Each structure stands twice: as C-alpha cells, then as structure tokens.
C-alpha cells in the first residue's frame, strides 16, 4: 500500500529556513557518542543495556535538531529508541537474516536493484544523516554497490539497457545526503534515457535535518523534466515540528507529490 499523502500546503511559496545554507555544518555537528546523547537528555547511567558492540558495528549518528525533539529524562522516548544502540541488537533471532528485504537477489547493475516491473531502485549512496537502529540496509555492501561510483555510468547504463523501466527510485542510504550538484549530475544523465518517465526520491533528511531543503535543492527539483514523488520516512508524530513542516511545504511548492 502507498504511504499516506501529506495534506496540501498553502499555495504561497514557502521561505527557506533561516539555517538552510548550513545543512552540511549541522550534519558534521551530529551527535556520534551514545553517552553524549544520554547526557544531553539527562539519562546518564539510566540505560544499562547500552551496547558498545552495537555502536562499533553501526555507529550512532543523529542531528542535534532531532535530539531536541526527544523528551528529556525519558529512556523510552520513541525518537531516542530509534537511534540508541542497545544490547538487543546483537542477539541473533531464528528466522531473521541480514539481507532483510532481499536486495542481493535483485541486483541488476552496480547500485541498481530491480524487484518490480517498470521500476528500478538506485542505491545512490550509503550515507544517511541519521543511523536508525532498525535499518534494513545496515549490512548492505555499499563499498561495492553504490550507484554514484564512476559518475553513475554503470547504473544509468543498466537502466538505459532495459526499455521496460519507466520509473527510477533514488534510495540509499539517503539520496539527499548527496550534494545537489551530484544529484544534478545523475538526473542530467537520466534525461538522455527516453523511457524514464517518472522519478521517486525516498528520503528521511527533510524530517531529521530539514535544513537540507535549501534553495539549491528546491531549484533542482523544480527543474526536473519528469513527475517527481518525494517519499518521506517518518516513524512518529513528534518527528514533525515547525521546521519540518516548512521543509515539506517547500518540497510541495516545487510541484512534487509528497507522501
């Protein structure tokens, strides 16, 4: 089933957030130490199941703006629980596998996953602004299977060779973790593939780092030649604050459908 559509924004163009130009700096300033995160929330010593092994395998990363939406003093806060490495992650469970959604069997080229008729998914990058503990690609071999490698050549060639593909999905990692000129490099190449008719972008960045929706990104989206759908990943209502609402409105103002 399709995710719910975000209600329509007001028709007037939305201004950029005040700190929009600083999204890369905010990314660099993300919290990466689980104990620092707990200290910021007044939870020092209150989470005995904190796992150094899980943090070593899949490091913590969470923007400070997202941390600000967490409840102070609550070890069960639903936003905190998405990012905090705990012992439970390291316990094997019968019937569960590392490639949870069968990506390996659907490889159709470097960084290209083709599971469904008419659609190809590009693993654009392995980077994300937030590391969610439940990530179903945390064990994905990004070093070998990233579509951005080689200026997108192999990934775009695989799509061009299959005229049955009319929709390209950008995923990752998070495609919006790439700089806008890098995204434009990809879409400039896709313009030359006549059977590509639609573009989808699956992203968490406008939710966890709304400053990413800056003037350059908006201009790139608005200039794309295809119908564009932006699929936002959110897990809890408190992930949406005024900054996220403004970022979503700016996405809609480009003409994109936002789900």
């Amino acid at each position: 089933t399709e995710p719910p559509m975000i209600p329509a924004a007001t028709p007037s163009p939305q201004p950029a957030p005040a700190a929009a130009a600083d999204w890369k700096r905010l990314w660099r300033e993300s919290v990466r130490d689980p104990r620092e995160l707990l200290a910021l929330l007044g939870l020092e010593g209150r989470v005995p199941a904190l796992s150094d092994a899980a943090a070593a395998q899949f490091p913590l990363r969470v923007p400070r703006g997202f941390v600000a939406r967490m409840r102070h003093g609550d070890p069960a806060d639903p936003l905190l629980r998405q990012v905090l490495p705990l012992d439970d992650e390291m316990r094997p469970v019968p019937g569960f596998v590392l490639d949870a959604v069968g990506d390996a069997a659907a490889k159709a080229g470097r960084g290209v996953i083709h599971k469904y008729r008419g659609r190809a998914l590009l693993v654009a990058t392995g980077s994300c602004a937030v590391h969610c503990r439940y990530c179903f690609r945390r064990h994905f071999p990004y070093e070998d299977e990233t579509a951005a490698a080689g200026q997108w050549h192999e990934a775009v060639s695989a799509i061009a060779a299959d005229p049955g593909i009319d929709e390209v999905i950008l995923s990752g990692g998070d495609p919006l973790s790439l700089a806008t000129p890098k995204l434009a490099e990809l879409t400039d190449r896709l313009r030359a593939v006549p059977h590509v008719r639609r573009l989808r972008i699956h992203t968490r960045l406008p939710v966890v780092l709304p400053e990413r929706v800056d003037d350059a990104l908006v201009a790139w989206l608005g200039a794309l030649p295809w119908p564009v759908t932006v699929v936002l990943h959110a897990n809890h209502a408190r992930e949406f604050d005024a900054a996220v609402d403004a970022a979503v409105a700016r996405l809609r103002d480009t003409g994109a459908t936002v789900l």
Side-chain angles (χ1 to χ4, degrees):
T1 61
E2 290 285 355
M5 184 174 290
I6 304 295
T10 56
S12 58
Q14 298 295 315
D22 296 330
W23 73 272
K24 292 182 181 179
R25 174 181 60 80
L26 295 172
W27 180 307
R28 291 192 298 270
E29 294 174 353
S30 294
V31 178
R32 301 190 185 195
D33 183 342
R35 288 170 177 80
E36 179 189 0
L37 176 59
L38 294 177
L40 289 170
L41 297 171
L43 290 171
E44 302 97 322
R46 291 185 56 191
V47 185
L50 190 68
S51 174
D52 291 330
Q57 182 197 85
F58 189 49
L60 178 127
R61 180 196 290 271
V62 57
R64 293 178 187 271
F66 193 76
V67 175
R69 299 174 225 165
M70 298 176 184
R71 282 193 295 258
H72 194 271
D74 182 2
D77 176 77
L79 277 60
L80 172 64
R81 290 288 281 110
Q82 294 177 44
V83 301
L84 190 65
L86 300 177
D87 287 338
D88 284 346
E89 294 176 38
M90 307 305 292
R91 296 174 183 168
V93 179
F96 284 71
V97 295
L98 298 184
D99 184 7
V101 293
D103 285 337
K107 178 184 173 183
R110 185 166 187 173
V112 180
I113 296 172
H114 192 185
K115 295 181 182 178
Y116 306 107
R117 181 175 58 84
R119 289 178 170 175
L121 183 147
L122 295 190
V123 179
T125 175
S127 295
C128 287
V130 65
H131 287 175
C132 304
R133 307 317 300 177
Y134 53 80
C135 178
F136 59 78
R137 289 203 182 113
R138 62 188 283 175
H139 300 285
F140 189 84
Y142 288 111
E143 64 277 6
D144 301 318
E145 297 294 341
T146 300
Q151 286 75 49
W152 311 98
H153 175 75
E154 186 174 340
V156 174
S157 295
I159 292 170
D162 187 344
I165 295 172
D166 57 18
E167 181 175 60
V168 172
I169 302 170
L170 304 187
S171 184
D174 195 309
L176 296 191
S177 68
L178 294 171
T180 304
K182 188 68 174 178
L183 293 168
E185 181 184 272
L186 168 62
T187 51
D188 286 347
R189 288 181 174 272
L190 288 174
R191 287 172 189 260
V193 182
H195 51 263
V196 172
R197 299 178 182 175
R198 293 183 303 279
L199 185 72
R200 287 167 63 106
I201 301 169
H202 290 192
T203 179
R204 189 140 163 73
L205 255 80
V207 175
V208 301
L209 192 67
E211 293 83 1
R212 177 62 185 99
V213 185
D214 60 8
D215 291 343
L217 184 74
V218 166
W220 168 70
L221 284 171
L224 293 175
W226 317 281
V228 175
T229 299
V230 178
V231 182
L232 298 179
H233 178 175
N235 303 300
H236 194 277
R238 282 200 295 107
E239 295 182 33
F240 288 86
D241 62 6
V244 176
D245 292 346
V248 172
R250 292 201 86 201
L251 292 172
R252 287 187 55 82
D253 283 344
T254 69
T257 297
V258 179
L259 304 178

